[in-house]
Amino acid sequence: MTPAPPRSIRSLPMPRYRAAGAACLAMALTVTLGACSSKEEPKKKAAPTCPAGNPKPSRTVAWPTMYANVYNASDSKGEAATVARRLGWRGLNLLEVANDPLADDRPTPKYAEIRYGKSGRTIALNLATQIPHANLYQDERADPTVDVVIGNDFTLTPQPPRPIKDVKVAVFNTTFQSGLAATVSNQLAKQGFHSEAKANDRAYYPDDTAVIVYDEEGLPDAQRVQMSIPGSRLLQDEKANVSMTGRDVRLYLGSKWLKGGKVAPLSQATKAPGSSPTPSC
């Protein structure tokens, strides 16, 4: 029998412990190289939860001369439309109303962020007086428009009640006292309200002196009427099952209105009803 040719050193089988060691080394190199080559995603910076106070604007800018985009960066759907409507009531001109287009690039504000260009700084500072704890961010835009970006704790400074001469109120009688609506309406008119008596109403308020019904936009005017009607309470139109729009106010005289009762004298109608305080950080 012809002997088999000798095998070369390279063809000799590798001992088991060497094979296992080589496999482990290859795996370790793969993991190490993979870790070195992978790029970590940069973490998004957190917005200041309580920014330093903003400086006062050098001059007052009227809201009807300002133009703003309203963007939602909060967790609540539809918040941009809600806030835009409230800003519009104050006179702000609205441009785009949408979700925040820079949500991936800018920190999410806790309260709000106002973005503006160099020519819009005074406008941004004026807006910031009505938006507590807003962060200010200057970008490269050339026009004076601004962006109002809404955070989860966004709020607006409550509007003070308007002067009496600007308030319209319709007076309804829900009691058995004849001519009561006309009597109270005349008293309000003498104080300067735009007051009008309406026909008796089917609404029934047995436990109230008076109920002041308003649309959300008309809250400041409703508060002004409440200052003149002792013991009255405010009720938004949705809860009163009536549909109202704008600032007009309805005054429903309830069963507990005293016979011969009068509206408060102007000298006593000076303290505004309690309003929500500005949230602290």
Side-chain angles (χ1 to χ4, degrees):
M1 178 181 291
T2 305
R7 290 181 291 178
S8 65
I9 295 177
R10 289 185 179 180
S11 65
L12 291 175
M14 183 180 293
R16 289 183 180 179
Y17 70 90
R18 288 187 179 180
C24 290
L25 178 61
M27 184 179 297
L29 287 172
T30 301
V31 172
T32 302
L33 290 174
C36 292
S37 61
S38 63
K39 295 182 179 179
E40 292 185 3
E41 291 292 331
K43 292 184 178 180
K44 190 175 179 180
K45 292 182 179 179
T49 55
C50 190
N54 294 314
K56 292 183 179 180
S58 58
R59 60 184 175 86
T60 299
V61 179
W63 279 57
T65 66
M66 297 189 287
Y67 291 80
N69 302 301
V70 180
Y71 295 134
N72 185 18
S74 75
D75 297 329
S76 301
K77 291 183 178 180
E79 195 67 12
T82 299
V83 171
R85 185 171 66 252
R86 292 171 180 167
L87 291 172
W89 293 339
R90 299 185 183 215
L92 189 66
N93 293 290
L94 303 172
L95 299 173
E96 185 179 18
V97 178
N99 290 331
D100 184 14
L102 300 182
D104 295 333
D105 302 317
R106 291 290 305 152
T108 301
K110 177 177 174 62
Y111 294 96
E113 180 172 79
I114 301 175
R115 301 169 187 160
Y116 62 95
K118 185 177 180 180
S119 62
R121 179 170 173 79
T122 301
I123 291 174
L125 290 174
N126 272 267
L127 276 177
T129 64
Q130 298 294 308
I131 304 175
H133 313 309
N135 299 312
L136 295 183
Y137 174 71
Q138 184 171 335
D139 55 27
E140 299 301 321
R141 76 186 69 191
D143 59 53
T145 64
V146 297
D147 300 342
V148 177
V149 185
I150 305 161
N152 283 326
D153 293 335
F154 179 92
T155 187
L156 285 168
T157 301
Q159 287 184 282
R162 295 197 302 165
I164 286 177
K165 63 182 180 63
D166 297 328
V167 178
K168 293 182 179 180
V169 54
V171 183
F172 296 85
N173 182 12
T174 70
T175 76
F176 293 106
Q177 298 184 46
S178 178
L180 183 60
T183 299
V184 173
S185 178
N186 288 336
Q187 292 175 12
L188 290 171
K190 288 180 180 179
Q191 291 190 348
F193 288 95
H194 291 277
S195 182
E196 181 182 1
K198 298 291 185 179
N200 287 3
D201 196 89
R202 293 182 179 179
Y204 184 48
Y205 295 107
D207 300 320
D208 288 284
T209 299
V211 176
I212 300 166
V213 180
Y214 62 96
D215 175 66
E216 186 183 5
E217 183 180 358
L219 175 59
D221 287 5
Q223 290 175 327
R224 187 62 192 83
V225 174
Q226 188 181 29
M227 292 163 62
S228 293
I229 308 295
S232 61
R233 68 182 174 98
L234 300 178
L235 186 65
Q236 195 166 341
D237 58 343
E238 295 176 352
K239 296 181 180 179
N241 295 321
V242 297
S243 179
M244 298 177 63
T245 57
R247 294 181 172 180
D248 291 358
V249 173
R250 295 184 183 183
L251 172 61
Y252 292 89
L253 304 173
S255 298
K256 289 194 174 181
W257 184 277
L258 297 177
K259 191 172 183 179
K262 296 181 179 181
V263 302
L266 287 178
S267 59
Q268 299 176 17
T270 55
K271 185 177 180 180
S275 57
S276 301
T278 299
S280 58
C281 290

